[in-house]
Amino acid sequence: MSAAGERRRFFRLPRSRSTIDRELDDEFQFHLEGRIEELVAAGLPPHEARAEALRRFGDPGEYRRQAHTIDEAQLRQEGRLEFRETARRELRHAVRALIRTPAFSAIAVITLAIGIGATTAIFTVLDRVVLRPLPYPAAEELVSVHHPTVVPGTGESIWGLSSAGYFVFKNENRTLQSLGAYRTTELTIAGDGEAERVKAGLITQDLFGTLGARPHVGRLFGSADDVPNGPRVAVLGYDLWQRRYGGDPNVVGRTIQTSYGTFEVVGIVHRGFALPKPGPFSSANDLAGFRTDVWLPLQLDPDAPAANSHQFGAIGRLASGVIPSVAESDLQRLTNTLPERYPRAYSQGFFDTYQFRLAVEPLRDAVLGPSLARTLWVLLGAAALVLLIAVANVANLFLVRIEMRRRDAALRTALGASRARLTLHALTEGLVLGAAAGAIGLGIAWLGVRAMLALAPTDVPRLAGVSLGWAAVGFGVALALASGVLFGMLPMLRGVADPSALRDGARGSSHSHRQRRARSGLVVAQVSLALMLLASAGLMLRSVAHLRQVEPGLDPTSTLAFTIAVPPSDYETAEAVAEFHRQLQETIGAMPGVTAVGAINRLPLRDFGVGCAVVFREGRPYADGEDTPCVETPKATPGVFRALGVRVEGREPTWDDVASNTGAVVVTRALADRMWPGEDPIGKGINSNGGTESGYYRIVGVVPELRASGLDHDPVEAVFYPAVGVPNSWIWGPMSSANYVVRSSLADPAILMPRIRQAVTAMNAGTPITEITSMEAVVERSMARISFIMLLLGAAAVAALTLSAVGLYGVISYLVSQRRGEIGVRIALGAHAAQVARMVMRQSLVLTAAGLLIGLAGAFAGTRLLSSLLYGVAPTDPVTLLGGAGLLVVVAAAASFGPARRAARVDPVDALRSS
Amino acid sequence: MTQSFDLIRGTLDLLILKTLSWGPMHGLSVTRWIEQVTGSRFQIEEGALYPALHRLEQRGWVSAEWGLSDNNRKAKFYQLTAEGRRQLRSEVARWDGYTEAVRLVLAATAP
């Protein structure tokens, strides 16, 4: 029998899972029928023939199952192969197509990459700083409990709880699972090794539980630890334990020497555990590098007399199902009972004057503060605008490309290429482009995040250690893919594969009109977005310029500043500490190149603006309902005003004043004007004794103007108390922690530091020196946030301007090429080159003007978001808005200059022939 | 009466490849061919042929397509691919080596 003769090609079914079984049945049936016929032909009766054929075949079900398994595996394999093959082919196709038009591809990829990179970088910071939950279990239940107040003459301020208030809230609330209180401070650890300045958290015992702390070694605080005059025990932070004690578990049970005395270490808290924010009245400086190294029990006394002193931060955990506003009204109810319970500490008058109330705020919001989250959202918005402009640009480029390929695509459709196939081509091209842009964009984002970390103000919580994480990479990839798909789908949306394009002439078709409208619309959108960004950046620029013109009232040049902490165990009294400062100042003042030296416990423009104390005047108590000034009360040593370059009318206190305890103080003009309007304050008495007629400080000098709380704040109201209090007049303890300011005639005052260090060590080896800086740096850093925002918005605006110029250039060039024939006719009819050029320029300016109108409306609406960040300029400042618009007009004119010149040079013969 | 054998594992593939080396065939004619050549010496269920054929197809040694048989019925035809032909040559060489080795042992005289 001939095998070849038996076979005649018939058909070949594409196989699929459902056809496998049918084919096998057919195949088996053919076999069995063939056999039966054969056996019948050999003489067997049909039913016997059937039985025999089946016997010889074996179990069809079993063989069908085996063959089915094999076929299915093969089908899967073929599918995979086919997919891989298609993907490879389409990719190759797309990459080739993109390489064939290098200018298009490069511009599209770089444009998109800039947009994606900027947006991803800012999203990274926003994600890590704002969006991530705080690192505590069930962090969404945690709330900050505090007293917002409005201090007359100073403004809004966040106060902590008082000791008495804490116990009332803790014991009588109906809405919290637990409430813990704390304050933060610094202390010096001495003994076993070098003296080290560390950050301490003094906490009530329930705070560990509220925040979900676990002991790594030993134990945390129990209720027996947190009682008045209780055991002197400490828990160490994990990092300090590793850093100073090499992770030795035997530290537990040992005692440590600190500037607060000796403590027994009872445990190490789990790794990474820290307070969420510094305690109340902390400055920007406390936030920089904030951490918790040592934990001590607060040991508050519930039976101590209540005082209107609000120095405790409080963190509560909401009972299940309670929302913050419900807890807030619960605790407000208790707050309202304070005057009744503690009439000596609180009065209704105080409540009214200070608008004293209670707030329960989600802890994360309290950590960030309202302006930071808003700032980052504004920046993300700016980056998103850049991305939008970039996308508009690339969309425009794609539209040109589509136009060029229109006839080609139509021809292919007419020849039978499926729409799906053409869409697949375009989609792959878009995705390849998006992927390339995404890869470069992530690189840009990485650089951007590093640049932002280098430039960002140091007081942004949670910013340290931010890097491009998976969330950001995912975000960037999503942006890249989304833009890729968008561009890939464009041709389909524009109906490119429509065969009617073949009938259309190249010019004047309805399609071309549609196309032109789409492209012009994109340019108008770009210009309007660019104007919004330019306006924002311009407003920030003007704010910073205004700030730089502000006279701070001190001379920051040629200064050196550093912080020392005098160990209280060695210098217990205020007098001893003052004597330490006098001697140290004498030594430093005698160094060559030093022209003035002084110390102050709060450095202007860094530590001001975080708390206040009420001041009283001699012989004239405040009437009921009269404003009681709550002002800054720093302590200063003689010489500090000259060192800071602050002018003093009258005289500065001297060391003789300190020695003979004359209580000589300096106040600012702003305070003097409020307390003694129209009078000469020199010689007047002032104190912070709570209105009791006893020891007063004597005003000997007045500082005319000092903006110590921030350049954008009003001149500060302050009294500079001496390091030693006068009899019967308390001022908060010895001046153990002091910021030294040294004024020098040297070009670089920092070279004095080694000698100063020697001098400090010679006096007391256990006195650490930290925070070495200059007043110039302090002033600069006080503007860090606004400068940072200005820088980022400026970068966004420059990117937007560039991208818009590119977009405008592209569209005008396109319009000129479209109208070549028409231009040729005009020239042939005698139009001058200048007229033609003017016509093109006019077209560009019409588009720009339309964009500017929309952009102005957008800027009016959008810049309001910036208002809290601005200084000395309104969000709708006409100069800035018009300046931005003017700049855009100039850029638009420049961008259309090239195409206009090209139009003017059109050769009429050439143009008419080719049309 | 002729002797009959159980098919040695793996040899069915070799027999199919060899059979198809004469030209494209459907399963039934492969069966007939082997039957004819061996005089029905092999004890094998005919159904077992099909999983074997499909496996050879999966490996790319044979290709399959539907066609019409001599009596105009729809039948699936199998054909050796170039790769199948190469496979057949190497299988034959291996089989020869194997039987030669066995033969040498059986023919050996006492040591």
Side-chain angles (χ1 to χ4, degrees), chain A residues 856-879:
Chain A
L856 277 177
F860 260 86
T863 50
R864 256 167 242 289
L865 293 173
L866 289 174
S867 53
S868 67
L869 304 168
L870 298 179
Y871 176 75
V873 56
T876 53
D877 178 50
V879 177

Side-chain angles (χ1 to χ4, degrees), chain A residues 185 234 288 316 347 422 431 473 491 496 515 681 699 856 904:
Chain A
T185 185
S347 67
L422 288 176
L431 283 174
V473 169
V496 158
Q515 179 86 18
I699 295 171
L856 277 177

